[in-house]
């Protein structure tokens, strides 16, 4: 084990760790190190000039194509995509041009159901039974939801609602559009409205508006982060270039025609944000695996998937990263990786057969598609392999690569190790050996990866786990508050004691029993950091394998 230099004075309220020797730190990361708050500063709140500058630097896919000596006619930006041209007489079937194989793949991955969709359908069915049909805003089930998300065009046309039917929410979305336009007429922008225990958070993009209405304890920045992810999910389906082209030619276009079926991705994404720390932290959770197993998996992918124009090879199990192999010079942003994980999580059809689907990664290149070969490597559908390329004609080549990778992983029992880790649900807080420690989340900032144990007693019910997650959101908000950021926060609650600590190298959020004092919590953190350092090869990906 590398020496972990921790200095803890008797009356000190901090622990000093030698720079670059934090648990989970690595010399070169495979994921771009970025926090969600940094993304909000640059992405969600960027002004028009910054937006133009950002688009001017898009075209990463074209750069790869040119650098790999691919003929311009094969440019990935010419991938099958919605609405290359639009005229007023075009119907929805005519809007998707070229490459029916890719567009059908996009429709095929929308077959799963979700809780949000069930609620949406249930509300609709209830309204149909009324003697006098009522709008969703009059439905008690709809009104009782704690967090709504709406998407509408700049012309006020409904695009998406997390709950209910968009057609029945035209009036309320019209009011939202009017509020935004009224403030814009005053040369200002509407960010947030607080009304009683409700928060109305607005994210105005170039062609669409996103609104979150919440009566949860989430901060404005955290709600804005939700909207940022939803916006990126739409771009992932359509690309920014296609979205701009559609509304430039037809301002009143009904975008639901192109997003039909993709609502499942947004529903699933919002559910993941409700409970997964990945989005709150702007990082990725790695599946705990022995370093020898992980190295074997990475070397297998490098050996059998080293083909021309392959940009990323990603192995995912239970929404956790197993390995990521990348083309040299190119990295994935956590936001893009989250969208990939959401694509797999929301798509039951991937389990039936190998699939070929276009996917836009907004942080990587918002103007074009990569083409993804998606397949599960085991019968139980625990391990999913995604091979992303700029070449639209590589399905059968990548299918052969997948078969060779599967055979070698089976020979070395790697898939069995992945399945065992998934079924074990990670690790237990008891393994750390700190009696008063109930739960924790540790993020390595340099590698954009985090680790946390499975929930145990007293957090065995969904209500208790939801409450603990809201406490983590509170810690994160207080520490990352833009007006008064904190390095260390000790909070004594009714049922537990919390301690959050942020340094240049890591973020740590811990939950202790209610009687733990600050000195005891600090000493416990010292032990926790040493334990994570001992286990870092199992909990994190410490190298950055490339093709």
């Amino acid at each position: 084990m590398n020496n972990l230099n921790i200095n803890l004075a008797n009356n000190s309220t901090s622990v000093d760790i030698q720079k670059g020797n934090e648990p989970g730190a690595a010399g070169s990361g495979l994921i771009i190190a970025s926090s969600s708050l940094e993304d909000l500063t640059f992405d969600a709140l960027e002004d028009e000039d910054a937006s133009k500058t950002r688009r001017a630097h898009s075209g990463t896919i074209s750069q790869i194509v040119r650098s790999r000596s691919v003929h311009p006619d094969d440019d990935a930006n010419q991938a099958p995509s919605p609405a290359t041209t639009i005229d007023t007489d075009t119907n929805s079937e005519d809007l998707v041009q070229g490459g029916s194989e890719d567009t059908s793949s996009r429709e095929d991955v929308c077959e799963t159901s979700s809780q949000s969709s069930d609620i949406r359908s249930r509300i609709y069915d209830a309204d149909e039974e009324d003697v006098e049909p009522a709008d969703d805003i009059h439905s008690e089930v709809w009104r009782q939801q704690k967090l709504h998300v709406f998407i509408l065009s700049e012309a006020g046309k409904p695009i998406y609602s997390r709950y209910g039917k968009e057609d029945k929410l035209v009036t309320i979305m019209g009011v939202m559009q009017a509020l935004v336009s009224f403030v814009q007429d005053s040369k200002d922008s509407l960010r947030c409205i607080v009304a009683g225990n409700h928060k109305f958070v607005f994210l105005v993009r170039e062609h669409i508006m996103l609104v979150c209405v919440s009566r949860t304890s989430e901060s404005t920045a955290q709600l804005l982060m939700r909207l940022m992810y939803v916006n990126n999910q739409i771009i992932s389906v359509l690309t920014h270039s296609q979205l701009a082209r559609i509304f430039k030619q037809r301002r009143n276009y009904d975008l639901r025609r192109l997003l039909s079926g993709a609502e499942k991705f947004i529903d699933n994404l919002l559910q993941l944000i409700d409970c997964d720390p990945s989005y709150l932290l702007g990082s990725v959770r790695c599946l705990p695996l022995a370093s020898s197993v992980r190295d074997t998996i990475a070397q297998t992918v490098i050996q059998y998937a080293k083909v021309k124009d392959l940009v990323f090879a990603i192995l995912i199990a239970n929404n956790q990263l197993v390995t990521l192999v990348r083309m040299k010079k190119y990295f994935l942003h956590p936001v893009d990786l989250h969208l990939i994980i959401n694509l797999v999580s929301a798509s039951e059809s991937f389990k039936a057969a190998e699939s070929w689907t276009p996917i836009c990664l907004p942080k990587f290149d918002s103007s074009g598609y990569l083409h993804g070969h998606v397949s599960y490597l085991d019968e139980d559908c625990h391990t999913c392999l995604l091979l992303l390329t700029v070449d639209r004609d590589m399905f059968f080549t990548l299918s052969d690569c997948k078969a060779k990778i599967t055979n070698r992983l089976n020979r070395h029992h790697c898939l069995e190790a992945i399945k065992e880790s998934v079924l074990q649900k990670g690790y237990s807080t008891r393994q750390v050996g700190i009696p008063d420690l109930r739960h924790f989340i540790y993020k390595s900032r340099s590698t954009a990866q985090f680790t946390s144990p499975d929930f145990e007693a007293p957090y065995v019910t969904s209500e208790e786990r939801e409450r603990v997650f809201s406490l983590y959101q509170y810690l994160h908000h207080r520490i990352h508050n833009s007006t008064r950021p904190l390095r260390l926060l000790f909070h004594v609650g009714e049922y537990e004691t919390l301690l959050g600590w942020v340094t240049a190298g890591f973020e740590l959020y811990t939950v202790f029993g209610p009687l733990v004092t600050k000195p005891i919590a600090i000493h416990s953190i010292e032990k926790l950091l040493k334990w994570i350092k001992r286990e870092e090869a199992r909990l994190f990906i410490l190298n950055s394998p490339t093709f």
Side-chain angles (χ1 to χ4, degrees):
M1 180 186 96
N2 295 330
N3 180 37
L4 182 63
N5 186 13
I6 300 180
N7 299 317
L8 182 64
N10 291 332
N11 297 321
S12 175
T13 58
S14 65
V15 182
D16 295 325
I17 298 180
Q18 185 176 354
K19 186 178 180 180
N21 200 32
E22 304 93 352
S28 60
L30 71 165
I31 305 170
I32 297 175
S34 175
S35 72
S36 57
L37 294 180
E38 290 169 351
D39 289 333
L40 287 172
T41 302
F42 180 72
D43 184 23
L45 300 180
E46 64 183 358
D47 58 22
E48 186 176 355
D49 292 336
S51 179
K52 291 179 181 178
T53 301
R54 184 179 175 199
R55 291 196 296 274
H57 287 84
S58 64
T60 306
I61 295 175
S62 297
Q63 294 174 11
I64 296 174
V65 172
R66 288 193 297 268
S67 66
R68 307 290 282 185
S69 300
V70 176
H71 192 275
D73 290 342
D74 293 331
D75 193 328
N77 281 321
Q78 303 300 322
S81 54
T84 41
T85 58
I86 298 179
D87 60 56
T88 54
D89 296 325
T90 306
N91 59 35
S92 59
E93 289 78 10
D94 295 331
L95 286 172
V96 181
Q97 297 184 354
S100 60
E101 179 182 28
D102 281 346
T103 53
S104 64
S105 298
R106 177 63 69 192
E107 294 170 358
D108 288 343
V109 297
C110 302
E111 295 174 357
T112 186
S113 60
S114 64
Q115 180 182 3
S116 298
S117 300
D118 293 340
I119 293 176
R120 184 187 294 127
S121 300
R122 194 163 68 246
I123 294 172
Y124 179 76
D125 293 341
D127 287 341
E128 290 296 320
E129 295 172 1
D130 293 340
V131 176
E132 295 182 2
D135 289 340
D136 281 334
I137 57 175
H138 298 127
S139 165
E140 191 63 27
V141 177
W142 187 87
R143 296 167 68 92
Q144 285 178 353
Q145 302 306 319
K146 291 184 178 181
L147 194 148
H148 290 267
V149 172
F150 306 96
I151 308 174
L152 57 152
S153 69
E154 60 183 351
K157 273 188 172 292
I159 297 174
Y160 169 85
S161 173
R162 187 180 188 184
Y163 304 111
K165 293 290 184 180
E166 294 83 6
D167 291 338
K168 296 190 176 184
L169 299 172
V170 174
T171 302
I172 192 170
M173 290 195 187
V175 173
M176 295 174 183
Q177 192 271 342
L179 287 171
V180 172
S181 298
F182 177 80
V183 175
Q184 286 178 337
D185 290 341
S186 304
K187 307 299 181 182
D188 206 342
S189 58
L190 183 59
R191 299 279 175 80
C192 180
I193 298 174
V194 178
N197 62 347
H198 284 80
K199 287 182 182 177
F200 297 75
V201 179
F202 298 80
L203 177 59
V204 181
R205 310 311 285 157
E206 190 173 2
H207 302 289
I208 63 175
M209 304 176 189
L210 301 96
V211 184
C212 183
V213 182
S214 169
R215 55 186 179 91
T216 67
S217 59
E218 292 178 69
S219 67
T220 300
Q222 290 165 355
L223 295 174
L224 190 60
M225 177 267 295
R226 283 179 177 267
L227 297 182
M228 179 199 72
Y229 269 102
V230 172
N231 179 67
N232 283 325
Q233 180 62 64
I234 293 176
I235 295 175
S236 180
V237 176
L238 298 178
T239 78
H240 183 276
S241 300
Q242 299 291 353
L243 197 63
R245 188 180 297 116
I246 289 169
F247 285 108
K248 181 180 179 180
Q249 298 187 25
R250 198 162 156 193
R251 186 173 179 269
N252 289 324
Y253 182 73
D254 187 353
L255 198 63
R256 289 179 297 172
R257 298 162 72 182
L258 289 181
L259 290 178
S260 178
E263 302 94 338
K264 304 292 184 181
F265 296 122
I266 303 177
D267 289 342
N268 194 74
L269 179 66
L270 290 170
Q271 289 183 50
L272 290 176
I273 297 175
D274 284 340
C275 59
D276 192 337
S278 303
Y279 304 87
L280 180 67
L281 300 175
S283 59
V284 178
R285 188 201 303 263
C286 295
L287 183 74
L289 276 178
S291 59
S292 58
V293 175
R294 202 184 303 274
D295 290 342
T296 300
I297 295 172
Q299 291 305 315
T300 299
V301 173
I302 293 173
Q303 180 179 350
Y304 293 107
K306 191 174 183 179
V307 295
K308 185 179 180 181
D309 300 326
L310 186 65
V311 187
F312 298 110
I314 306 167
L315 205 62
I316 296 170
N318 194 31
N319 291 347
Q320 300 172 80
L321 184 63
V322 177
T323 193
L324 192 162
V325 183
R326 59 182 179 82
M327 183 185 288
K328 292 179 180 178
K329 300 183 189 178
Y330 297 101
F331 299 85
L332 268 182
H333 193 282
V335 169
D336 290 339
L337 200 45
H338 290 157
L339 294 177
I340 291 172
I341 291 173
N342 181 59
L343 172 68
V344 174
S345 173
S347 307
E348 288 293 321
S349 62
F350 287 151
K351 297 179 179 179
E354 298 178 17
S355 302
W356 186 243
T357 183
I359 178 171
C360 172
L361 303 179
K363 294 290 186 178
F364 183 73
D365 185 348
S366 63
S367 63
Y369 288 108
L370 289 173
H371 299 270
H373 180 278
V374 188
S375 59
Y376 281 87
L377 306 186
D378 54 346
E379 293 182 357
D380 297 321
C381 294
H382 290 302
T383 309
C384 184
L385 175 66
L386 297 97
L387 302 173
L388 305 181
T389 177
V390 295
D391 189 344
R392 73 175 84 181
D393 299 318
M394 285 187 65
F395 175 83
F396 294 106
T397 301
L398 296 181
S399 180
D400 292 339
C401 293
K402 174 256 181 181
K404 294 176 183 177
I405 291 171
T406 304
N407 290 336
R408 190 169 191 273
L409 294 183
N410 277 322
R411 286 201 308 270
H412 289 80
H413 307 289
C414 295
L415 295 180
E416 293 180 15
I418 293 174
K419 178 181 178 180
E420 182 179 352
S421 180
V422 170
L423 296 178
Q424 286 179 350
K425 297 182 179 180
Y427 57 94
S428 168
T429 311
R430 292 192 300 269
Q431 295 177 238
V432 183
I434 303 175
D436 295 314
L437 181 65
R438 292 183 175 181
H439 198 263
F440 69 88
I441 299 175
Y442 174 89
K443 171 189 173 181
S444 171
R445 304 185 82 173
S446 62
T447 58
Q449 301 172 37
F450 83 98
T451 184
S452 66
D454 189 31
F455 279 108
E456 300 173 296
Y459 310 119
V460 293
T461 65
S462 58
E463 291 79 10
E464 280 296 311
R465 295 181 179 186
E466 180 180 342
R467 187 178 64 82
V468 172
F469 187 70
S470 68
L471 293 176
Y472 281 134
Q473 291 174 324
Y474 167 78
L475 274 181
H476 188 274
H477 165 61
R478 287 290 307 276
I479 286 177
H480 292 281
N481 192 307
S482 58
T483 58
R484 191 187 175 191
L486 302 175
R487 182 170 180 261
L488 187 73
L489 175 63
F490 183 76
H491 174 79
V492 179
E494 183 178 359
Y495 302 106
E496 50 266 308
T497 298
L498 312 174
L499 193 147
W501 182 32
V502 174
T503 72
F506 66 85
E507 299 180 22
L508 180 62
Y509 306 91
T510 54
V511 179
F512 294 94
L515 302 180
V516 171
T517 62
K518 188 174 184 180
I520 293 177
I522 294 291
H523 280 282
S524 297
I525 283 181
E526 177 186 6
K527 297 178 182 178
L528 174 59
L529 290 173
K530 287 183 177 179
W531 182 86
I532 297 175
K533 186 65 179 180
R534 287 196 301 269
E535 299 290 328
E536 66 176 354
R538 184 171 66 96
L539 303 178
F540 300 96
I541 301 176
L542 300 178
N543 52 25
S544 183
T546 60
F547 294 115

